[in-house]
Amino acid sequence: MAEATPKPVPLLKDELDIVIPTIRNLDFLEMWRPFFEPYHLIIVQDGDPSKVIKVPEGFDYELYNRNDINRILGPKASCISFKDSACRCFGYMVSKKKYIYTIDDDCFVAKDPSGKDINALEQHIKNLLTPSTPHFFNTLYDPYREGADFVRGYPFSLREGVPTAVSHGLWLNIPDYDAPTQLVKPRERNTRYVDAVMTIPKGTLFPMCGMNLAFDRELIGPAMYFGLMGDGQPIGRYDDMWAGWCIKVISDHLGLGVKTGLPYIWHSKASNPFVNLKKEYKGIFWQEEIIPFFQNATLSKESTSVQKCYIELSKQVKEKLGSVDPYFVKLADAMVTWIEAWDELNTPAAAPDASKQANGAAAAAK
């Protein structure tokens, strides 16, 4: 009798954590089981910590609620947002893996134009494991994809590219719109599947969405802070964008790359545009000053690590955006607290094993 062909080992099985922020039972994982089950999940429960979150059997996970965050970080827990999906960045901090993939719990498996289920995680990994080309645009987009290459006229001296720090995926069905756009286009759905991955050029910012995102934690993790948003703050729904502007400035400074495009997920439900408008309205005004600030931000040659870059950037936030609103002074201080907490949990000699303190007690896969 012929032996069964062994299943291929999933890419980066022991080097990647999946971080999921949630306020509800994670039934959506059933759809993702073929792709996610081999990996370790870090679930960050927002809202009422006494609520029991149910996770389908068979998944290997840790679950942290607000009580866990307060216990692990102590006074520094103030830098982690409450009642906002920005709480997910606590999962980035406590992970011990090289790579992170984060996804929202209303994101389902999308299908490509042939009808095949898209393994979003696999595509993100391919993006991260191949170089980026921020210094010169290749008109065939990602030259490292099968069937593509550098086009005529592309400098040979730049073809090695740079390490990829971030892979930013997209969404079918519900677009990632702000509240005013939602209000004027309530029925609009994204049905266009563009089979492309491209590097965002050096010096160019982008609006980063956190619901389908992967990154190299060792290269850029300390800058993946989603800010102070939600409960007690004057702004929401700018958490991932704030992180995106910070990581892009720092990636440009340190010679790292950011990719966007594939993979797609299926974004299943639109959030309430009137609720979103209440969260966003100050950000809509502020972004007209925030974006020029980041466009003009420069970092000194002494900032040779992500942490040093982030601390220097926090000082500039306080100095140049503090006059826009006192919130930015508070945010700048939280950026420093975030780095202090990150370093405490990620210094090999001093780092406690946060997973042993989790509410979910690192439930083993069955």
Side-chain angles (χ1 to χ4, degrees), residues 129-140:
L129 293 182
T130 53
S132 293
T133 53
H135 301 294
F136 203 89
F137 190 81
N138 192 59
T139 50
L140 279 180

Side-chain angles (χ1 to χ4, degrees), residues 73-324:
L73 295 185
K76 292 185 175 66
S78 62
C79 72
I80 304 298
S81 299
F82 185 58
K83 294 187 178 177
D84 191 278
S85 66
C87 68
R88 78 178 79 215
C89 61
F90 177 77
Y92 310 158
M93 182 186 286
V94 298
S95 171
K96 302 302 176 192
K97 305 289 177 62
K98 178 173 170 55
Y99 300 98
I100 295 287
Y101 174 53
T102 186
I103 185 171
D104 284 2
D105 60 13
D106 62 348
C107 294
F108 300 158
V109 177
K111 295 184 182 295
D112 67 18
S114 73
K116 181 182 177 183
D117 284 350
I118 296 169
N119 184 348
L121 182 53
E122 182 180 59
Q123 179 64 52
H124 274 298
I125 291 170
K126 289 178 179 177
N127 292 349
L128 291 171
L129 293 182
T130 53
S132 293
T133 53
H135 301 294
F136 203 89
F137 190 81
N138 192 59
T139 50
L140 279 180
Y141 304 118
D142 189 347
Y144 303 100
R145 282 186 70 180
E146 186 177 349
D149 210 325
F150 294 95
V151 297
R152 180 172 56 90
Y154 199 103
F156 284 88
S157 59
L158 296 177
R159 294 190 182 194
E160 277 189 23
V162 303
T164 300
V166 178
S167 170
H168 178 255
L170 299 176
W171 349 267
L172 294 172
N173 195 35
I174 306 295
D176 186 31
Y177 284 161
D178 55 32
T181 310
Q182 281 183 292
L183 286 167
V184 298
K185 295 183 173 181
R187 297 183 181 85
E188 185 158 288
R189 298 294 180 265
N190 181 33
T191 59
R192 294 193 311 140
Y193 179 96
V194 181
D195 187 15
V197 177
M198 64 188 78
T199 297
I200 299 172
K202 183 178 180 181
T204 301
L205 298 174
F206 74 112
M208 189 173 81
C209 173
M211 66 180 159
N212 176 27
L213 179 74
F215 60 93
D216 186 321
R217 186 176 173 276
E218 292 182 0
L219 287 181
I220 202 67
M224 270 292 179
Y225 176 47
F226 278 39
L228 280 179
M229 304 281 160
D231 194 52
Q233 309 304 332
I235 184 176
R237 284 174 55 82
Y238 274 80
D239 51 329
D240 42 8
M241 287 183 283
W242 179 265
W245 296 326
C246 291
I247 64 97
K248 190 58 170 63
V249 169
I250 293 172
S251 293
D252 286 351
H253 176 74
L254 294 178
L256 303 172
V258 178
K259 293 182 179 181
T260 188
L262 300 180
Y264 284 92
I265 49 85
W266 181 269
H267 187 204
S268 66
K269 68 176 191 290
S271 47
N272 186 307
F274 295 100
V275 173
N276 290 347
L277 188 58
K278 286 181 67 176
K279 295 177 180 179
E280 291 175 0
Y281 81 98
K282 285 197 173 182
I284 291 170
F285 289 112
W286 290 345
Q287 71 185 15
E288 302 307 319
E289 298 196 52
I290 295 171
I291 291 171
F293 162 76
F294 281 108
Q295 286 174 325
N296 293 301
T298 57
L299 298 169
S300 66
K301 63 181 181 181
E302 287 76 28
S303 290
T304 53
S305 69
V306 177
Q307 281 95 328
K308 289 178 180 178
C309 288
Y310 203 69
I311 293 296
E312 184 176 353
L313 196 56
S314 75
K315 293 175 181 176
Q316 295 180 28
V317 168
K318 180 175 285 191
E319 178 188 337
K320 297 181 179 178
L321 293 179
S323 59
V324 174

